[in-house]
């Protein structure tokens, strides 16, 4: 059974960089056809896709966040990571990682991590 | 700015049938938007239910079904159970970039 687990600081200061890691177990992050994505959810609000990465390092990002987002992958550790720079209180959210399938006939986010709350505050 | 619109809230009786819809600000939703549906209960991560309009995951209960209806993506719950009370989100793909709807709070009463 594929499992994803987010980890990282729960508190980040304004203007600093938020850094999270997602560890994948029960499957290889290097499997073909799978991207790996980040999604966030501000408290009491809806979901927002942040971006996704292929094991080769190919990425694509939400245009509204692109200037501040970097997603990277470490296949040796079966992990992928998120960096979001210049954070403000508006970036306070539960951050989820998920497996993202992008194929000709199918596109979906199937397996999700449990999420981790990141609060931006001084 | 692309907007995906869902009903803010719906109420259904146990054992009843309810349809949630998902509209796009760009026009009619087609299979090319690869509509997805997710269920989220309080304090939990979203759970994938439907992908690419009508395909179910191995864990999706049979009472959930997806379709295209009147230019929108639709999620129908037949024989609603009390445990189906949750927030439901749709997701549409715009040239590869996924955009979530605002969610529908489904109350089973």
């Amino acid at each position: 059974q594929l499992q994803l687990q987010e980890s990282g600081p729960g508190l980040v200061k304004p203007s600093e960089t938020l850094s999270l890691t997602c560890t994948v177990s029960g499957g290889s992050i290097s499997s073909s056809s799978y991207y790996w994505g980040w999604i966030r959810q501000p408290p009491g609000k809806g979901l927002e896709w942040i971006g996704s990465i292929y094991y080769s390092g190919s990425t694509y990002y939400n245009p509204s966040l692109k200037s501040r987002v970097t997603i990277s992958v470490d296949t040796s550790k079966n992990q992928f990571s998120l960096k979001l720079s210049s954070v403000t209180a508006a970036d306070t959210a539960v951050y989820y990682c998920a497996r993202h399938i992008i194929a000709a006939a199918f596109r979906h986010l199937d397996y999700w991590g449990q999420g981790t709350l990141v609060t931006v505050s001084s | 700015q692309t907007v995906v619109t869902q009903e803010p809230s719906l109420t259904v009786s146990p054992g009843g049938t309810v349809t949630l819809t998902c509209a796009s600000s760009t026009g009619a939703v087609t299979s090319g938007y690869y509509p997805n549906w997710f269920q989220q209960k309080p304090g939990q991560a979203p759970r994938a239910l439907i992908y690419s309009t009508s395909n179910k995951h191995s864990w999706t209960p049979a009472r959930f079904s997806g379709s295209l209806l009147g230019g929108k993506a639709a999620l129908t719950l037949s024989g609603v159970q009390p445990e189906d009370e949750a927030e439901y989100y749709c997701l549409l793909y715009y040239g590869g970039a996924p955009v979530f709807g605002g969610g529908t709070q489904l109350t089973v009463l």
Side-chain angles (χ1 to χ4, degrees):
Chain A
Q1 176 77 349
L2 189 75
Q3 292 187 318
L4 296 89
Q5 178 68 58
E6 306 87 352
S7 59
L11 182 64
V12 180
K13 290 182 169 55
S15 80
E16 296 189 344
T17 295
L18 178 159
S19 296
L20 295 174
T21 296
C22 182
T23 301
V24 179
S25 58
S28 172
I29 203 169
S30 300
S31 298
S32 61
S33 296
Y34 299 149
Y35 278 71
W36 303 90
W38 288 96
I39 303 96
R40 70 180 183 178
Q41 184 172 37
K45 296 188 178 180
L47 299 163
E48 179 181 37
W49 171 75
I50 299 170
S52 298
I53 190 166
Y54 195 54
Y55 76 92
S56 64
S58 173
T59 55
Y60 72 117
Y61 300 132
N62 185 325
S64 68
L65 297 169
K66 185 175 182 178
S67 64
R68 299 194 292 130
V69 173
T70 302
I71 298 176
S72 58
V73 64
D74 186 337
T75 54
S76 67
K77 295 182 179 178
N78 229 33
Q79 295 176 334
F80 62 106
S81 298
L82 168 71
K83 291 188 185 300
L84 181 65
S85 63
S86 305
V87 297
T88 69
D91 295 308
T92 294
V94 175
Y95 285 76
Y96 297 100
C97 58
R99 189 174 76 171
H100 195 175
I101 295 178
I102 302 174
F106 308 112
R107 296 187 185 181
H108 53 100
L109 295 149
D110 52 3
Y111 290 92
W112 293 59
Q114 65 186 28
T116 188
L117 175 63
V118 179
T119 302
V120 179
S121 175
S122 56
Chain B
Q1 179 79 4
T2 301
V3 177
V4 178
T5 302
Q6 301 180 242
E7 298 87 356
S9 62
L10 291 170
T11 300
V12 61
S13 300
T17 297
V18 64
T19 297
L20 290 65
T21 67
C22 176
S24 171
S25 62
T26 61
V29 176
T30 66
S31 60
Y33 288 83
Y34 304 92
N36 280 232
W37 291 93
F38 301 87
Q39 178 192 64
Q40 187 178 35
K41 296 182 178 179
Q44 297 183 14
R47 181 175 74 139
L49 292 175
I50 300 289
Y51 65 96
S52 296
T53 305
S54 58
N55 294 277
K56 298 180 185 181
H57 293 281
S58 59
W59 53 80
T60 303
R63 62 184 180 275
F64 290 87
S65 63
S67 64
L68 296 176
L69 196 63
K72 300 178 183 180
L75 174 70
T76 299
L77 288 71
S78 304
V80 171
Q81 302 295 308
E83 61 264 29
D84 297 332
E85 182 162 298
E87 189 86 19
Y88 290 84
Y89 291 95
C90 70
L91 174 71
L92 301 178
Y93 282 82
Y94 294 85
V99 178
F100 286 94
T104 296
Q105 174 62 51
L106 182 66
T107 300
V108 181
L109 199 57

